[in-house]
Amino acid sequence: MKKLILTITSVMCFALVASAQSYDSFGKKVKKNNAKPVSELITLDASESKNVKVEGVVESVCQVKGCWMTVKLDNGESMRVTFKDYGFFVPKDISGKKIIFEGEASVKTTPVDELQHYAKDAGKSAEEVAKIKDPKKELTFVADGVLVPSK
């Protein structure tokens, strides 16, 4: 009986260790616990900003330096995430990964020149960049720190 209990306990411990996700940290150290789904930010209005820790799936990353990324929202749109004081970057190959990030979410109007800059960084053609003619009111996020699942 003792051997059976010891075996079951060993298997459970091994399963716990195997299922523990490890992360690479960028910027400020962020703890992985208590992250809210990024979908909760959709309700922000233009007059508020919110300091929060969220998790979401990366849609795209700046292919020049990793200096911004977009995260999928449940409403079909994306939220641009930049990094506080341009102080850190993320790997350029994390599209599709579920990450945890902490910082300030807000709704802002992004000017045309900034939208065009982001489009260039994303590798859009000159024709696609030229089609951007209007500013865009959007949910944005300035991250203090980001956790990316280790490979």
Side-chain angles (χ1 to χ4, degrees), residues 35-144:
K36 298 178 181 185
V38 73
S39 60
E40 290 188 18
L41 298 177
I42 295 173
T43 61
L44 275 178
D45 65 35
S47 64
E48 66 180 319
S49 63
K50 187 176 196 177
N51 285 311
V52 65
K53 182 184 344 178
V54 293
E55 62 182 353
V57 176
V58 176
E59 187 173 54
S60 64
V61 178
C62 170
Q63 292 301 295
V64 175
K65 294 190 237 185
C67 57
W68 55 261
M69 63 185 165
T70 58
V71 174
K72 294 179 186 180
L73 299 173
D74 291 350
N75 63 1
E77 294 185 17
S78 299
M79 174 178 67
R80 182 163 316 278
V81 179
T82 56
F83 309 115
K84 186 170 185 167
D85 299 328
Y86 211 61
F88 63 97
F89 305 117
V90 295
K92 296 184 273 187
D93 63 349
I94 62 171
S95 294
K97 291 191 176 188
K98 188 174 190 177
I99 62 165
I100 298 170
F101 51 108
E102 187 172 13
E104 184 177 20
S106 62
V107 176
K108 80 171 211 175
T109 300
T110 307
V112 172
D113 61 333
E114 194 172 327
L115 291 170
Q116 290 175 336
H117 175 81
Y118 291 143
K120 288 176 188 173
D121 282 354
K124 302 286 183 185
S125 69
E127 294 80 28
E128 290 173 294
V129 172
K131 288 180 183 177
I132 301 171
K133 298 193 182 289
D134 297 312
K136 182 179 179 184
K137 186 175 179 179
E138 60 187 344
L139 181 61
T140 62
F141 199 100
V142 178
D144 298 325

Side-chain angles (χ1 to χ4, degrees), residues 24-40:
D24 294 324
S25 180
F26 301 89
K28 178 183 115 180
K29 299 295 180 203
V30 175
K31 294 182 180 180
K32 63 183 178 180
N33 60 334
N34 301 323
K36 298 178 181 185
V38 73
S39 60
E40 290 188 18

